[in-house]
């Protein structure tokens, strides 16, 4: 072997091993599943050959899919970021003091982050308070609007539900902030390893497999299926589970889709746990080709999912905040409104920070049309 080639191989090997060690040990990228957590992961019927699998197999990645990604990435002319300011309302001061009144109220905080008051408890789903949906601050999708003011001063959140470990759903600094205030975290199998890495006390972590549930303050929190994947860095593809969440209270209940493609699990959730007062359904971040749409519903799929789980009102999420996929920033909501109207779905479109109370009419406005 030529001397130059030998050195090139040595240098490349060092770079690969060095990057692996770096990603493995830098906290924002999370922890590795080991010990008791690994035993529970390995015992899951969804875990095969060292990784989690979906119920339905992933379609093979076609050459034209890859070509589609590349051309869209390089030449796509969509307006992926809002061209002017997205309106953001402040959290109402009344939310800062007392225990929540009985009932179901929600405030969309952008992307998939939603604050929920459900029968006297405070919940957050997929909270990301950071400026970037990325383990590395300053790199990756940047938020297009601020958080509603006072979001980080909300009183203690009782339960934080995490759907999976992608950076636009699970953020180290947000988790540490909520953990320091005593929140309990409900996560799919394996995701607890990231929380361990970030020094969340073990007593505050509940890991569940699909269809497993936990009780808290009168609520039943059920980890329900999704069709997606996970990865925090490049060496942990599908090492942890992904899910949707169903929360059943004494008087109200709510479903959150997580990130998912459309599949028959929505019907199963609707049959077993529906109807729901509210469906919080992902409408954005879909892309070209069967491979992408398998794990990311488009807006029409989202309305189908909403109908399948039998929810009375639909709150669309996973749009407007982080630019991740190849569509206009407002395409998800315009298509979702059209699909919802066609199926007589009560779709609410609050502004970021705007309160929606279940059981009360909500006057949706097409606020995104003002952003030009
Ligand atoms: Zn995801």
């Amino acid at each position: 072997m030529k001397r130059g080639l030998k050195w090139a191989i040595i240098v490349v090997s060092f770079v690969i091993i060095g990057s692996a060690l770096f990603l493995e040990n830098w906290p924002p990228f999370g922890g590795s599943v080991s010990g008791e957590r690994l035993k529970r992961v390995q015992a899951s019927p969804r875990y095969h050959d060292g990784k989690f699998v979906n119920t339905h197999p992933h379609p093979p990645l076609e050459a034209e899919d890859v070509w589609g990604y590349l051309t869209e990435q390089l030449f796509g002319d969509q307006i992926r970021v809002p061209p002017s300011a997205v309106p953001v309302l402040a959290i109402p001061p009344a939310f800062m003091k007392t225990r929540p009144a009985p009932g179901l109220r929600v405030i969309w905080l952008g992307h998939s982050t939603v604050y929920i008051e459900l029968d006297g408890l405070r919940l957050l789903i997929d909270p990301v308070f950071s400026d970037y949906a990325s383990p590395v601050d300053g790199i990756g999708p940047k938020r297009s609007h601020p958080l509603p003011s006072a979001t980080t001063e909300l009183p203690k959140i009782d339960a934080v539900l995490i759907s999976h470990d992608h950076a636009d759903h699970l953020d180290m600094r947000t988790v540490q902030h909520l953990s320091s205030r005593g929140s309990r975290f409900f996560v799919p199998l394996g995701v607890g390893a990231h929380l361990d890495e970030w020094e969340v006390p073990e007593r505050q972590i509940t890991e569940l497999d699909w269809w497993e549930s936990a009780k808290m303050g009168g609520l039943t929190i059920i980890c329900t299926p999704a069709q997606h994947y996970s990865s925090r860095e490049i060496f942990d593809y599908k090492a942890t589970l992904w899910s949707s969440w169903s929360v059943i209270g004494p008087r109200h209940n709510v479903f959150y889709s997580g990130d998912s493609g459309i599949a028959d699990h929505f019907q199963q959730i609707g049959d077993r746990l529906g109807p729901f007062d509210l469906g919080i359904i992902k409408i954005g971040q879909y892309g070209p080709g069967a491979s992408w749409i398998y794990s990311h519903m488009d807006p029409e799929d989202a309305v189908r999912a909403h109908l399948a789980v039998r929810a009375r009102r639909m709150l669309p999420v996973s749009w407007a905040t982080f630019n991740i996929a190849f569509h206009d920033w407002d395409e998800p909501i315009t298509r979702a409104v059209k699909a919802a109207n066609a199926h007589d779905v009560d779709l609410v479109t609050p502004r970021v920070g705007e309160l929606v109370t279940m059981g009360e009419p909500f006057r949706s406005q097409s606020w995104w049309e003002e952003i030009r």
Side-chain angles (χ1 to χ4, degrees):
M1 192 186 288
K2 281 191 179 151
R3 207 184 151 96
L5 181 62
K6 202 162 115 187
W7 274 107
I9 290 172
I10 290 170
V11 169
V12 168
S13 305
F14 264 103
V15 169
I16 290 172
I17 293 166
S19 324
L21 285 172
F22 176 70
L23 293 177
E24 198 61 31
N25 292 298
W26 200 24
F29 286 94
S32 307
V33 186
S34 61
E36 285 303 311
R37 294 203 192 286
L38 183 60
K39 280 187 198 158
R40 290 210 59 214
V41 160
Q42 288 168 333
S44 168
R46 275 155 278 290
Y47 196 73
H48 297 281
D49 301 326
K51 61 180 189 199
F52 282 101
V53 292
N54 284 303
T55 306
H56 302 287
H58 196 291
L61 191 61
E62 304 288 344
E64 58 258 42
D65 290 346
V66 179
W67 182 246
Y69 303 158
L70 283 174
T71 50
E72 288 296 336
Q73 183 66 47
L74 295 171
F75 306 112
D77 59 357
Q78 302 91 351
I79 302 165
R80 295 178 193 159
V81 175
S84 62
V86 169
V88 177
L89 278 63
I91 305 274
F95 282 67
M96 295 296 157
K97 297 183 205 124
T98 50
R99 290 302 305 168
L104 175 54
R105 311 194 280 182
V106 299
I107 299 177
W108 179 47
L109 301 175
H111 201 63
S112 296
T113 304
V114 182
Y115 170 76
I116 303 172
E117 292 184 350
L118 175 57
D119 292 343
L121 268 76
R122 291 188 167 91
L123 289 79
L124 264 180
I125 58 169
D126 284 352
V128 174
F129 296 167
S130 294
D131 287 338
Y132 287 84
S134 160
V136 188
D137 205 26
I139 295 178
K142 187 177 191 300
R143 62 166 52 251
S144 64
H145 59 78
L147 271 182
S149 66
T151 295
T152 53
E153 282 100 62
L154 276 164
K156 178 187 158 188
I157 304 295
D158 299 295
V160 179
L161 313 183
I162 305 287
S163 66
H164 64 301
D165 72 3
H166 285 157
D168 55 327
H169 297 259
L170 177 65
D171 177 62
M172 181 183 76
R173 276 183 293 185
T174 309
V175 164
Q176 289 174 331
H177 167 78
L178 295 165
S179 168
S180 69
R181 304 177 74 148
S183 298
R184 266 182 73 183
F185 293 82
F186 295 83
V187 299
L189 285 182
V191 176
H194 300 318
L195 274 54
D196 293 339
E197 177 77 13
W198 303 335
E199 300 182 347
V200 177
E202 198 178 340
R203 65 178 181 282
Q204 286 172 234
I205 306 171
T206 302
E207 264 190 347
L208 299 172
D209 199 350
W210 290 352
W211 299 113
E212 288 184 343
S213 63
K215 299 263 187 200
M216 183 185 195
L219 304 186
T220 304
I221 298 172
I222 307 155
C223 180
T224 38
Q227 180 167 286
H228 198 58
Y229 62 103
S230 65
S231 59
R232 196 76 198 161
E233 30 101 342
I234 47 182
F235 304 102
D236 64 348
Y237 181 61
K238 294 186 174 176
T240 65
L241 186 59
W242 46 93
S243 73
S244 56
W245 289 98
S246 303
V247 187
I248 316 290
R251 284 172 292 278
H252 297 88
N253 58 7
V254 60
F255 170 74
Y256 167 49
S257 67
D259 273 4
S260 181
I262 187 88
D264 51 7
H265 63 277
F266 289 113
Q267 183 79 48
Q268 291 160 16
I269 293 163
D271 290 347
R272 286 170 72 160
L273 303 170
F276 293 91
D277 295 301
L278 179 68
I280 301 171
I281 315 280
K282 159 212 139 52
I283 61 163
Q285 320 315 330
Y286 47 88
S291 175
W292 196 328
I293 210 75
Y294 166 85
S295 48
H296 289 276
M297 296 186 283
D298 64 20
E300 293 77 24
D301 284 345
V303 169
R304 279 181 209 109
H306 170 83
L307 292 167
V309 298
R310 298 190 293 138
R312 295 189 184 95
R313 178 172 269 184
M314 175 172 167
L315 175 70
V317 295
S318 191
W319 72 284
T321 306
F322 295 115
N323 157 30
I324 295 171
F326 309 138
H327 50 62
D328 282 339
W329 78 278
D330 58 351
E331 184 188 293
I333 196 66
T334 53
R335 284 175 56 178
V337 167
K338 208 169 157 195
N341 287 341
H343 291 90
D344 215 11
V345 164
D346 178 16
L347 179 92
V348 289
T349 61
R351 290 164 290 180
V352 176
E354 187 171 9
L355 175 67
V356 181
T357 304
M358 258 32 72
E360 291 179 12
F362 182 82
R363 258 172 55 89
S364 287
Q365 293 171 34
S366 305
W367 54 264
W368 55 92
E369 290 176 358
E370 312 294 317
I371 300 172
R372 292 280 171 258

